[in-house]
């Protein structure tokens, strides 16, 4: 168990090696990248086995590596913490991350920057592992910013494309808005508790005022909204699809967007003491799960449709963590199952793009199931899993969140449960739309398209994540295994549903099948035009514009921020700069006047001396008289 430090160190070493060796590693750099990720997964698996062999009370491991910041009253050790929660993330990040690395060997085969791409992938894994393994909020912040940096590098990997460069900057800037919340929370923690370690902050949170814990909860939520693309900081996620498809799979399945859910689950002692902050988390998650689902219905770009899906599914997780001990374990369960089926969906989308000359418009697809059978089957497994069809993984995790929402009881339970149920129906609609437009119907291919199945180095990772999309839900839910596993970290509490569970299960399946039927009626029984219709409803227009998320941010955040900067700039120029420049101007004026006295004429100097002597004599006589 003392090998915890190897988890982030191995991919970090891989990234350093690939970046420092430069082009000399172009021929074998991808192998180093895969090996570093796989070695980290092996370490994670070994640590998991070792953890299983320890008593429940002794499973958490703390490893202090060195003193990081010894400044005045602030002392922060660089330490790692491996407990039941961080172990779930370590296995997901390294396991799914390794499969995405392997897939990338084939996907990026012809790219001249492949070695650099694998270096950035390794850096992404290292930063995410640092985030989930840190034993204090400052170490978490280090990984948090590292994930932001890696996402910027990977989203803008094809930086010669203006759209990719713009998307990378947008993701970076929007995330900085959320990061302000985490930075300010760190300051409040130190000012209130004198420490930023998990043990000290959580141990002292009960003695803090309601205002302090509420402020901490809301600031942490702001940070989570940025990383997990939740309303109102969701606008970057769709544009981030400009990066290579393996990047999309890594961001959505195993790394960046899951960080916000981890942050709230890790800080559960704070949120349990702050009901207002918990309610805010629930509201954000509920709004976002519907927000993303509606957007997904109007996207013709296969990757952007899946991105909207991620936004919605993370909304389910945020809703669950906002329910407190009744939902923490179910949020993590859905996060883990989502890691498999969303990775499968994105890798399948990448396989389609690989075969269709990087085409992403689903209106140019159709009939691909016959020429890409492996991609079709593995993508179909992910489709069934995200819909929550038994016995696929999503059935065991998403349905639990819907149950927990209804179990809140009263009007709150009806609103939250109804929204979650409606989201499941909309999910079924837009995902069925994706499958029908891509794999069924007539062939709408461009003349230069010659689709074919992807090579084995790409299809085998797709097959393995498809297996996870089938098996992970049952394994995690069997006998409440994940709930018992996480209970020492996040606690457990079960609300009363009020009706037999099977009735809600049947009702959910009916809603899901209704969504499938509606999508089939619209996209499976009629030809799909090659261009999107222009005469559409106001809701469709809004969904195509991402429900005006960018417009809202420009008016609510960017415009006031720009106006504030202009006010501060004017105050600086006219106030601070004006004072400094005024002093300089006055000194210059005096200097010019005095310079006129130094004219170089002896007679002038004699006159000055005579005048000065007369003045001195006059003052002496006057002083003597007084």
């Amino acid at each position: 168990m003392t090998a915890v430090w190897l988890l982030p160190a191995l991919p970090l070493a891989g990234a350093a090696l690939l970046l420092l060796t430069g082009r000399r590693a172009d021929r074998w750099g991808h192998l180093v990248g895969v090996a570093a990720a796989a070695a980290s997964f092996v370490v994670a698996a070994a640590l998991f086995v070792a953890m299983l062999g320890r008593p429940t009370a002794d499973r958490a491991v703390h490893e202090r590596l060195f003193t990081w910041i010894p400044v005045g009253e602030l002392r922060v050790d660089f330490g790692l913490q491996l407990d039941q929660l961080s172990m779930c993330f370590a296995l997901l990040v390294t396991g799914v991350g390794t499969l995405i690395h392997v897939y990338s060997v084939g996907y990026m085969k012809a790219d001249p920057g492949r070695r650099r791409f694998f270096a950035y992938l390794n850096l992404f894994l290292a930063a995410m592992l640092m985030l989930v393994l840190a034993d204090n909020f400052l170490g978490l912040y280090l990984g948090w910013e590292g994930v932001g940096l890696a996402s910027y590098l990977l989203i803008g990997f094809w930086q010669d494309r203006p759209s990719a460069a713009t998307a990378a900057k947008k993701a970076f800037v929007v995330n900085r808005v959320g990061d302000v919340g985490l930075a300010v929370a760190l300051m409040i923690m130190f000012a209130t508790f004198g420490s930023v370690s998990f043990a000290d902050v959580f141990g002292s949170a009960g003695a803090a005022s309601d205002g302090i814990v509420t402020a901490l909860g809301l600031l942490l939520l702001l940070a989570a909204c940025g990383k997990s693309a939740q309303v109102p900081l969701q606008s970057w996620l769709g544009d981030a699809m400009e990066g290579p498809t393996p990047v999309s799979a890594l961001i959505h399945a195993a790394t960046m967007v899951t960080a916000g859910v981890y942050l709230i689950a890790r800080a559960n002692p704070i949120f349990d003491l702050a009901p207002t902050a918990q309610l805010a988390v629930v509201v954000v998650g509920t709004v976002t799960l519907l927000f993303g689902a509606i957007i997904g219905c109007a996207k013709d770009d296969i990757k952007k449709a899946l991105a909207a899906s991620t936004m919605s599914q993370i909304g389910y997780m945020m809703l669950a963590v906002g329910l407190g001990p009744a939902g923490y374990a179910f949020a993590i369960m859905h996060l883990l199952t989502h890691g498999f089926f969303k990775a499968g969906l994105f890798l399948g989308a990448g396989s389609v793009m690989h075969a269709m000359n990087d085409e992403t418009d689903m209106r140019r697809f159709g009939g691909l199931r016959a020429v890409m059978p492996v991609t079709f089957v593995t993508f179909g497994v992910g489709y069934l899993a995200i819909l929550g069809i038994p016995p696929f993984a999503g059935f065991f995790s998403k349905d639990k969140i819907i149950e927990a929402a209804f179990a809140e009881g009263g009007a709150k339970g009806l609103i939250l449960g109804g929204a979650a149920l409606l989201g499941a129906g909309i999910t079924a609609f837009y995902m069925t739309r994706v499958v029908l437009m891509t794999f069924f119907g007539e062939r709408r291919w461009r003349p230069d398209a010659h689709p074919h199945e992807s090579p084995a180095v790409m299809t085998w990772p797709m097959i393995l994540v498809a297996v996870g999309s089938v098996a992970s839900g049952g394994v995690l839910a069997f006998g409440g295994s994940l709930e018992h596993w996480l209970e020492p970290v996040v606690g457990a509490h079960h609300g009363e549903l009020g009706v037999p569970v099977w009735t809600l299960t049947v009702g959910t399946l009916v809603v899901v099948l209704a969504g499938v039927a509606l999508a089939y009626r619209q996209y499976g029984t009629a030809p799909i035009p090659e261009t999107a219709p222009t005469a559409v409803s106001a809701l469709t227009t809004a969904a195509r514009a991402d429900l005006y998320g960018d417009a809202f941010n420009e008016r609510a955040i960017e415009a006031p921020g720009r106006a504030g900067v202009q006010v501060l700039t004017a105050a600086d120029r006219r106030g601070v700069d004006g004072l400094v420049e005024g002093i300089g101007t006055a000194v210059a004026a005096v200097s010019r006047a005095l310079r006129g006295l130094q004219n170089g004429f002896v007679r002038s100097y004699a006159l000055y001396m005579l005048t000065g002597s007369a003045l001195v004599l006059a003052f002496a006589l006057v002083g003597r008289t007084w």
Side-chain angles (χ1 to χ4, degrees):
M1 298 298 289
T2 58
V4 177
W5 64 275
L6 285 173
L7 286 172
L10 288 169
L12 183 61
L17 176 62
L18 294 179
L19 291 174
L20 294 176
T21 53
R23 295 183 178 179
R24 290 171 293 179
D26 282 351
R27 295 180 60 185
W28 43 266
H30 57 288
L31 300 178
V32 172
V34 172
S40 187
F41 173 68
V42 170
V43 173
L47 290 170
F48 176 63
V49 172
M51 184 177 283
L52 288 176
R54 297 163 69 100
T56 301
D58 297 330
R59 283 177 173 168
V61 176
H62 298 265
E63 187 172 349
R64 176 183 173 277
L65 299 180
F66 54 86
T67 297
W68 187 13
I69 302 177
V71 180
E73 298 180 1
L74 177 62
R75 181 182 178 87
V76 181
D77 292 331
F78 197 96
L80 302 177
Q81 171 179 301
L82 184 66
D83 59 11
Q84 291 88 333
L85 178 61
S86 52
M87 176 56 76
C88 291
F89 279 83
L91 290 171
L92 176 69
V93 172
T94 58
V96 174
T98 298
L99 293 177
I100 294 173
H101 274 67
V102 175
Y103 176 94
S104 300
V105 172
Y107 191 89
M108 301 294 290
K109 181 178 180 180
D111 196 290
R114 183 168 66 164
R115 182 260 315 162
R116 181 167 51 89
F117 179 79
F118 276 87
Y120 295 162
L121 287 185
N122 274 191
L123 180 62
F124 214 154
L125 291 193
M128 188 65 188
L129 288 168
M130 183 64 221
L131 190 158
V132 300
L133 291 172
D135 68 350
N136 62 81
F137 280 98
L138 191 58
L140 183 151
Y141 188 76
L142 174 65
W144 193 269
E145 294 301 323
V147 167
L149 171 62
S151 66
Y152 170 78
L153 295 172
L154 286 167
I155 293 170
F157 182 75
W158 288 321
Q159 57 204 15
D160 56 313
R161 304 178 183 178
S163 57
T166 300
K169 289 185 287 186
K170 182 177 181 179
F172 193 81
V173 171
V174 173
N175 272 271
R176 296 294 74 73
V177 176
D179 294 352
V180 170
L182 186 53
V184 175
L186 282 166
M187 300 175 193
I188 294 176
M189 289 173 191
F190 175 65
T192 305
F193 310 115
S195 174
V196 293
S197 73
F198 293 156
D200 293 337
V201 172
F202 298 155
S204 305
S209 66
D210 292 342
I212 289 294
V213 293
T214 299
L216 286 175
L218 293 175
L219 289 168
L220 294 177
L221 172 60
L222 176 62
C225 286
K227 278 290 180 288
S228 293
Q230 299 293 282
V231 172
L233 300 179
Q234 81 292 342
S235 61
W236 65 270
L237 192 61
D239 292 348
M241 298 305 97
E242 291 292 337
T245 302
V247 176
S248 303
L250 194 61
I251 288 176
H252 290 250
T255 55
M256 189 164 177
V257 296
T258 65
V261 180
Y262 170 80
L263 177 64
I264 295 178
R266 173 61 70 190
N268 67 87
I270 292 175
F271 284 92
D272 290 343
L273 294 169
T276 301
Q278 272 191 334
L279 178 61
V281 175
V282 168
V283 171
V284 166
T286 304
V287 170
T288 307
L289 75 87
L290 293 175
F291 201 96
I294 293 171
I295 291 174
C297 295
K299 293 298 181 183
D300 292 331
D301 185 307
I302 187 171
K303 290 176 66 177
K304 290 191 175 183
L306 294 178
S309 168
T310 298
M311 188 191 309
S312 180
Q313 297 304 306
I314 299 293
Y316 275 100
M317 301 172 206
M318 296 292 283
L319 166 60
V321 291
L323 298 177
Y328 290 131
F330 300 141
I332 301 304
M333 183 188 298
H334 194 51
L335 187 150
L336 296 174
T337 60
H338 177 266
F340 284 104
F341 62 70
K342 185 50 61 69
L345 292 171
F346 266 110
L347 296 184
S351 180
V352 170
M353 292 171 58
H354 185 265
M356 298 291 287
N357 299 329
D358 287 333
E359 179 65 68
T360 60
D361 189 347
M362 293 184 291
R363 295 184 181 276
R364 298 288 183 177
F365 295 161
L368 290 177
R369 72 185 188 281
V371 293
M372 304 183 70
V374 177
T375 300
F376 168 62
V377 172
T378 55
F379 193 96
V381 169
Y383 160 74
L384 295 172
I386 195 173
L387 261 59
I389 303 297
F392 296 89
F395 168 75
F396 297 95
S397 57
K398 189 163 68 176
D399 278 32
K400 284 293 185 181
I401 295 176
I402 297 174
E403 292 174 17
F406 274 111
E408 288 292 292
K412 180 181 178 181
L414 288 175
I415 294 172
L416 298 181
L421 194 58
L422 176 60
I426 302 175
T427 299
F429 177 85
Y430 71 74
M431 284 305 305
T432 302
R433 175 179 181 267
V434 169
V435 171
L436 292 175
M437 292 180 70
T438 302
F439 295 102
F440 290 87
E442 61 184 14
R443 299 178 176 183
R444 304 178 300 278
W445 310 341
R446 293 184 183 274
D448 61 341
H450 304 285
H452 53 277
E453 189 57 88
S454 297
V457 72
M458 294 172 62
T459 55
W460 271 108
M462 293 159 57
I463 293 170
L464 291 176
V465 294
V467 171
S469 300
V470 176
S472 61
V475 171
L476 296 173
F478 181 75
S481 55
L482 184 64
E483 294 177 69
H484 296 314
W485 173 261
L486 292 173
E487 187 172 353
V489 182
V490 299
H493 170 74
H494 296 281
E496 294 295 331
L497 187 57
V499 297
V501 173
W502 68 267
T503 60
L504 184 57
T505 300
V506 172
T508 302
L509 287 174
V510 169
V511 171
V512 167
L513 293 176
V516 173
L518 287 174
Y520 180 77
R521 178 184 177 185
Q522 185 169 348
Y523 298 97
T525 60
I528 296 174
E530 292 188 4
T531 57
T534 56
V536 294
S537 66
L539 180 59
T540 301
T541 302
R544 288 178 179 175
D546 297 336
L547 295 181
Y548 306 115
D550 283 333
F552 173 81
N553 288 339
E554 287 174 4
R555 295 184 181 181
I557 299 176
E558 184 180 345
R562 186 184 294 114
V565 169
Q566 289 173 347
V567 171
L568 292 175
T569 301
D572 179 67
R573 288 176 178 173
R574 298 177 183 178
V576 178
D577 289 352
L579 177 61
V580 173
E581 291 174 1
I583 294 173
T585 302
V587 171
V590 172
S591 298
R592 283 194 297 270
L594 294 176
R595 189 166 59 246
L597 300 177
Q598 303 294 326
N599 55 18
F601 295 115
V602 175
R603 60 180 178 272
S604 298
Y605 298 155
L607 179 60
Y608 300 155
M609 293 173 63
L610 177 61
T611 302
S613 299
L615 290 174
V616 170
L617 182 59
F619 278 118
L621 293 174
V622 172
R624 184 175 181 181
T625 303
W626 287 352

